[in-house]
Amino acid sequence: VGETIIDMKSRLYFTHKGTEKLFEGRAPAAGLELAERVSGDTTVGHALAFCQALEAGAGTAVPERARWLRVILLEMERLYNHVADFGMIANDTGYAVAHSHCFRIRERLLRLNRRLTGNRLLRGGIRPGGVGFDLPSDLDLAAEVDSALRDFEEIAALSLRNTMVMDRLEGTGALATSIARDHGVLGYVARASGIDADARRDHPFAAYRDLEVRVPVHQSGDVKARTLVRLEEARESARLIQEAVARLPVGPRLAPLGPLPAFEPAFALVEGWRGGILHWVMADEAGRLHRVKIMDPSFLNWRPLSHALLRNIVPDFPLCNKSFNQSYSGNDL
């Protein structure tokens, strides 16, 4: 009706890559390269969920040092994605300078990722039984992350003081708490709509049981709330990385993966940067992967976007869409 959106149907759940089928018949460790590529910007989240499912099935105890290094990797992934998203949301309001600076900071973080694991997207960082890297002796990771965060804080403050930016964010694309709960929404979308849930705190894994995870929650459910949750989560990620580096224990970082029992399912839940990620695995009598089932948070978060868009105007569609920023790749497996 004029510029007002009265309905929106997303054409999803039709284009399947066949990723889950590609796992079948592989040796368990050989499934890692597929897990890392379920959704490229969630390399660590999916790799960690897959490896933890294997470890649960095999009864493998991950070394303490590896548990803390896994926290560092997962928070590095959360940090660079939230910085990028903040910039892209600002860009969709027309504030291009913030977008440019956020991508400059994202590039800093991607280069830092490469120093850690040899890959900008952190591929190879997570391995079944532990991790595939150690902190370089010539890298002060805590200081580098703190510097990048302070850089980001300056850009975020400029953006949030810009009245034209805030006018576009406030009240736009509001997702009511009741609708969010009905759809089982996850991650920053849920927390922006008043749902206080985070697997790092509620179902701790890796070394999160030994850390206090502060979960930001907002009530308005609009683009502003989803933006602020990202900003606060970026701050929390930096804090967790710094604490993990300070408390990093000595010892091995990899344990051998034991055999998987035949046709006995195992699963793992990980709080990726978009939300909860679930991997369910089962091996056959030869010890190879018989079935792998994956749930990316986008599977639950895509549909509520249609509800958030109602009664908004067409020019606000890109802004709402980016504030959700769900994965097409992770959804159509």
Side-chain angles (χ1 to χ4, degrees):
V1 179
E3 285 292 297
T4 304
I5 298 169
I6 60 171
D7 192 21
M8 193 282 273
K9 292 184 176 66
S10 53
R11 296 292 298 273
L12 300 163
Y13 315 99
F14 295 103
T15 305
H16 295 286
K17 300 178 294 177
T19 304
E20 292 176 342
K21 195 71 177 174
L22 289 172
F23 279 94
E24 296 176 13
R26 291 186 178 223
L32 178 61
E33 62 184 7
L34 286 175
E36 289 181 325
R37 289 160 176 81
V38 167
S39 183
D41 56 14
T42 317
T43 291
V44 175
H46 278 284
L48 184 53
F50 177 70
C51 288
Q52 288 188 167
L54 294 181
E55 292 152 8
T60 298
V62 176
E64 281 296 302
R65 186 173 181 85
R67 290 173 61 243
W68 287 87
L69 288 170
R70 285 178 168 187
V71 168
I72 291 170
L73 284 184
L74 192 62
E75 297 306 325
M76 288 295 295
E77 183 168 82
R78 196 181 319 275
L79 181 58
Y80 88 76
N81 277 296
H82 281 337
V83 168
D85 271 11
F86 189 99
M88 288 186 281
I89 290 169
N91 188 56
D92 281 343
T93 71
Y95 196 39
V97 67
H99 176 249
S100 298
H101 279 288
C102 284
F103 264 62
R104 173 182 58 78
I105 300 164
R106 174 182 180 266
E107 179 63 24
R108 285 184 64 178
L109 294 168
L110 291 177
R111 294 182 184 188
L112 198 53
N113 289 347
R114 185 170 182 177
R115 290 185 67 185
L116 285 174
T117 68
N119 185 278
R120 288 161 61 85
L121 297 180
L122 299 168
R123 287 176 183 163
I126 303 292
R127 298 276 179 84
V131 293
F133 81 108
D134 213 334
L135 286 184
S137 58
D138 61 342
L139 174 63
D140 188 344
L141 182 62
E144 291 282 353
V145 167
D146 181 65
S147 175
L149 179 68
R150 284 188 280 108
D151 199 352
F152 176 51
E153 290 273 19
E154 184 178 357
I155 304 307
L158 289 171
S159 301
L160 297 176
R161 287 200 300 266
N162 187 306
T163 56
M164 290 184 290
V165 170
M166 297 309 293
D167 183 60
R168 292 289 307 281
L169 302 187
E170 291 174 348
T172 303
L175 180 67
T177 303
S178 58
I179 295 175
R181 287 194 185 280
D182 287 346
H183 284 80
V185 168
L186 298 168
Y188 52 77
V189 179
R191 293 188 279 274
S193 292
I195 299 175
D196 186 3
D198 190 309
R200 294 174 296 171
R201 179 198 63 195
D202 304 333
H203 306 282
F205 52 93
Y208 286 107
R209 192 178 301 278
D210 301 314
L211 291 162
E212 180 193 358
V213 179
R214 303 164 188 167
V215 181
V217 179
H218 289 258
Q219 302 298 324
S220 59
D222 55 5
V223 175
K224 177 185 175 182
R226 290 188 285 275
T227 304
L228 292 177
V229 167
R230 283 174 166 88
L231 174 59
E232 292 167 34
E233 286 194 6
R235 292 168 178 157
E236 181 65 0
S237 288
R239 187 188 70 81
L240 290 171
I241 291 166
Q242 290 162 351
E243 184 172 348
V245 169
R247 297 176 61 182
L248 191 63
V250 297
R253 53 183 175 82
L254 201 60
L257 182 70
L260 294 175
F263 303 111
E264 291 188 16
F267 73 94
L269 174 65
V270 165
E271 185 72 25
W273 73 275
R274 280 193 178 93
I277 297 169
L278 186 69
H279 277 238
W280 181 99
V281 302
M282 180 186 284
D284 61 19
E285 64 275 3
R288 294 187 170 272
L289 293 171
H290 175 68
R291 186 76 173 91
V292 174
K293 180 62 186 170
I294 300 166
M295 194 206 71
D296 185 270
S298 300
F299 187 78
L300 296 173
N301 287 4
W302 265 119
R303 288 210 183 277
L305 174 60
S306 300
H307 293 271
L309 282 166
L310 300 181
R311 295 176 298 280
N312 286 265
I313 59 174
V314 171
D316 279 337
F317 168 76
L319 188 57
C320 295
N321 187 41
K322 181 50 63 180
S323 74
F324 272 68
N325 192 17
Q326 297 307 297
S327 172
Y328 299 91
S329 177
N331 182 78
D332 287 326
L333 291 167

